[in-house]
């Protein structure tokens, strides 16, 4: 079996550059946050493989990993099917309306004999693990609900007039289970924002300990890491239900990415249900009246 590596590919490239610049293994270890022995082991592997900085442009992460960590007695096994540009797919996945299913369908259109969906996801996750590590968040059941708007709008058609209006998609996701509530409203204003929370709590059949909103003006008057200012009406709603409000850190959109962001990413592919259409229509009627 191939040897197990303890550094990401980005860290390995950084290590080779620092070593080329004359930095000691101990100093490299402090920079990368790993033990000196780990740096020394990887440097020995690089020397035995004839790898030195600067690396040639054609030396991809897959080739570098194979040369550093595969046993010399084991020949490289080429994958039988063509693969997409994983880096490009990782960038595409950050765009609204894109998820792995969409990317896989486009891949199979271009490569009819390509990988099935499960294998495609496994290979993509393997590529992600070679990128910079991210902090894992552990959520306790019933502790937090992450709320946000998707950023994508859906068309609502009035059946009597045929007029098409755009509606926002409110999304609430429980952190531990990713159990999701979504509904369409015409605006992100305070009445719709609070009304969506009330209906979400009713849908869940209870309330969590905390709600984690993004710094939307309807919920947070002033974003601050230490002392955010919660909208008065939103705070009264939270006090009525006995729920705490913990806004996401300013300029840290990933804080609400527990599931709301995942839902938001595929919102463009969602078709609003009749109940959501009716709710959006009734919301419009109550405001106009």
């Amino acid at each position: 079996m191939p040897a197990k590596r303890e550094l990401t590919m980005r860290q390995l490239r950084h290590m080779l550059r620092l070593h080329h610049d004359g930095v000691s293994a101990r100093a490299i270890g402090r920079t990368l946050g790993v033990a000196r022995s780990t740096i020394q082991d990887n440097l020995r592997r690089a020397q035995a493989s004839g790898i030195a900085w600067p690396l040639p442009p054609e030396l991809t992460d897959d080739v570098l990993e194979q040369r550093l960590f595969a046993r010399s007695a084991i020949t490289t096994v080429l994958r039988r099917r063509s693969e997409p540009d994983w880096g490009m797919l990782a960038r595409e996945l950050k765009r609204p309306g894109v998820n792995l299913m969409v990317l896989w369908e486009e891949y199979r259109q271009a490569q009819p004999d390509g990988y099935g969906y499960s294998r495609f996801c496994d290979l993509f996750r393997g590529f992600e693990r070679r990128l910079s590590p991210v902090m894992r968040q552990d959520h306790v059941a019933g502790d937090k609900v992450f709320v946000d708007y998707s950023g994508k709008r859906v068309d609502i058609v009035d059946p009597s007039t045929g007029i098409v209006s755009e509606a926002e998609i409110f999304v609430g996701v429980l952190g531990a289970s990713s159990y999701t509530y979504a509904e369409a409203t015409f605006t992100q204003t305070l009445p719709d924002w609070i009304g969506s929370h009330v209906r979400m709590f009713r849908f869940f059949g209870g309330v969590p300990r905390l709600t984690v909103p993004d710094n939307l003006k309807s919920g947070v008057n002033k974003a601050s890491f230490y002392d955010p200012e919660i909208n008065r009406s939103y705070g009264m709603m939270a006090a009525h239900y006995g729920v705490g409000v913990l806004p996401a850190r300013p300029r840290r959109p990933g804080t609400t990415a527990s599931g709301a962001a995942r839902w938001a990413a595929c919102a463009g592919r969602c078709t609003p249900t009749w109940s959501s259409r009716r709710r959006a229509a009734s919301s419009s009627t109550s405001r106009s009246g």
Side-chain angles (χ1 to χ4, degrees):
M1 294 178 62
K4 181 181 179 181
R5 61 180 174 86
E6 300 180 9
L7 299 176
T8 65
M9 301 311 296
R10 182 173 297 181
Q11 287 176 317
L12 285 168
R13 291 176 181 271
H14 194 187
M15 176 199 72
L16 293 173
R17 182 177 63 81
L18 292 176
H19 179 67
H20 177 265
D21 293 340
V23 181
S24 67
R26 186 184 298 275
I28 296 174
R30 285 199 299 267
T31 301
L32 300 181
V34 299
R36 181 182 62 173
S37 59
T38 300
I39 299 298
Q40 291 173 332
D41 176 66
N42 284 280
L43 287 175
R44 284 193 295 267
R45 292 178 180 275
Q47 184 178 7
S49 303
I51 297 174
W53 191 267
L55 300 176
E58 63 273 11
L59 190 64
T60 64
D61 286 346
D62 286 333
V63 176
L64 179 60
E65 182 178 23
Q66 183 66 33
R67 290 181 60 179
L68 286 176
F69 299 100
R71 289 184 178 179
S72 57
I74 300 177
T75 58
T76 302
V77 178
L78 297 177
R79 289 172 179 160
R80 300 177 181 177
R81 300 174 182 176
S82 60
E83 298 184 19
D85 183 342
W86 299 112
M88 183 189 70
L89 296 188
R91 292 189 296 270
E92 286 290 314
L93 195 59
K94 297 178 181 179
R95 297 175 55 188
V98 179
N99 56 25
L100 281 177
M101 178 61 74
V102 171
L103 296 176
W104 175 75
E105 289 174 349
E106 294 176 350
Y107 161 71
R108 285 301 295 265
Q109 288 178 0
Q111 301 292 338
D113 297 329
Y115 291 105
Y117 180 67
S118 297
R119 181 56 176 162
F120 177 87
C121 292
D122 290 340
L123 293 174
F124 181 79
R125 298 306 180 195
F127 170 80
E128 282 190 318
R129 285 193 291 271
R130 295 195 292 271
L131 302 177
S132 297
V134 296
M135 182 181 69
R136 177 181 176 84
Q137 298 187 32
D138 294 321
H139 299 290
V140 178
D143 186 55
K144 296 185 183 73
V145 60
F146 296 82
V147 291
D148 200 358
Y149 285 100
S150 71
K152 294 282 287 185
R153 296 179 178 180
V154 294
D155 291 336
I156 304 295
V157 181
D158 188 326
S160 60
T161 65
I163 297 177
V164 180
S165 304
E166 290 187 330
E168 307 283 350
I169 299 180
F170 171 88
V171 183
V173 181
L174 294 174
S177 64
S178 292
Y179 192 44
T180 302
Y181 173 80
E183 72 169 26
T185 58
F186 276 117
T187 73
Q188 298 184 15
T189 56
L190 186 61
D192 282 336
W193 173 249
I194 292 180
S196 293
H197 280 71
V198 173
R199 290 184 288 270
M200 176 185 67
F201 294 150
R202 187 183 304 135
F203 174 80
F204 287 149
V207 297
R209 186 177 67 91
L210 293 172
T211 61
V212 184
D214 204 355
N215 290 285
L216 184 75
K217 284 298 183 183
S218 296
V220 182
N221 291 336
K222 180 181 178 182
S224 171
F225 181 81
Y226 299 101
D227 189 21
E229 180 182 331
I230 306 301
N231 177 279
R232 181 180 179 183
S233 298
Y234 187 46
M236 292 176 64
M237 182 276 296
H240 172 76
Y241 285 99
V243 179
V245 178
L246 180 66
R249 294 175 294 170
R251 295 180 295 278
R252 290 290 192 276
T255 308
T256 56
S258 166
R262 289 199 299 272
W263 237 97
C266 66
R269 303 179 67 247
C270 298
T271 302
T273 62
W274 166 244
S275 60
S276 66
R277 293 176 181 173
R278 183 173 52 188
R279 185 178 301 121
S282 62
S283 177
S284 175
T285 303
S286 61
R287 282 196 301 276
S288 61

